[in-house]
Amino acid sequence: VTWIGCGGIGFARSTDGGRGFGHPMQVPGSAGSGSIHVAGRYLPKGGWDPAIALAPDGTVYVSYMIFRHGYGHPRVAISTDHGASFTRVAQVMPPAQHKDNWGDRDFIAVAPDGTMYVTWDYAPSLKVPGANIVIQASADGGQTWSAITPVSPGYPDHGSFAAGPLIARSGGRI
């Protein structure tokens, strides 16, 4: 289970079918407190909007939003030991020319072949109202990510929020 807390994004795992949970931990790279003022908006310094997915091989992925170095974007913490520890954090970055972009509410899903899909609310600028549902994919465990693909019509100023992906168990259809 994952949540906003623990000084960033919290995570705890159960090894007994949910009857009990281990000691909660902070997801790597999600720390921060307070907020920063950017382009007329206050953004949290720590991570927000966590989501979780489990790959067929038992890899645990916790995605969350972060604003760092002028970019609002998802990050994905990766655990290859069923959530006992998180050894890597992957950056899901918007295009470089869109510094001071707006990003919010990520979701993550993993296909049967292990491909990760992250959807999130995205606007190329904090000054432009209206978010767009976009999706990015990684077939190599988060080392590289596809370009942003708009899902909602009217990109870049549609006004859509919060679209969680669902992947079919057979065939990996999104």
Side-chain angles (χ1 to χ4, degrees), residues 43-135:
L43 299 171
K45 286 184 179 177
W48 71 93
D49 287 346
I52 192 168
L54 181 64
D57 68 359
T59 301
V60 177
Y61 298 101
V62 174
S63 66
Y64 57 93
M65 295 301 297
I66 197 90
F67 189 87
R68 293 283 194 278
H69 310 295
Y71 296 96
H73 60 93
R75 281 185 175 173
V76 179
I78 301 165
S79 171
T80 57
D81 58 7
H82 306 280
S85 64
F86 289 85
T87 56
R88 197 162 54 82
V89 177
Q91 308 290 329
V92 186
M93 295 295 290
Q97 73 271 21
H98 293 172
K99 192 168 183 172
D100 291 330
N101 70 307
W102 182 85
D104 200 25
R105 195 54 187 117
D106 60 299
F107 292 92
I108 188 167
V110 183
D113 68 359
T115 300
M116 284 186 284
Y117 294 92
V118 174
T119 60
W120 52 300
D121 304 342
Y122 171 76
S125 170
L126 285 167
K127 298 173 185 162
V128 176
N132 305 271
I133 302 302
V134 297
I135 190 167

Side-chain angles (χ1 to χ4, degrees), residues 6-67:
C6 294
I9 301 301
F11 173 83
R13 73 181 188 141
S14 174
T15 58
D16 62 6
R19 289 184 297 277
F21 286 84
H23 186 73
M25 68 173 88
Q26 183 185 84
V27 174
S30 69
S33 63
S35 60
I36 55 176
H37 191 259
V38 178
R41 295 184 188 205
Y42 285 96
L43 299 171
K45 286 184 179 177
W48 71 93
D49 287 346
I52 192 168
L54 181 64
D57 68 359
T59 301
V60 177
Y61 298 101
V62 174
S63 66
Y64 57 93
M65 295 301 297
I66 197 90
F67 189 87

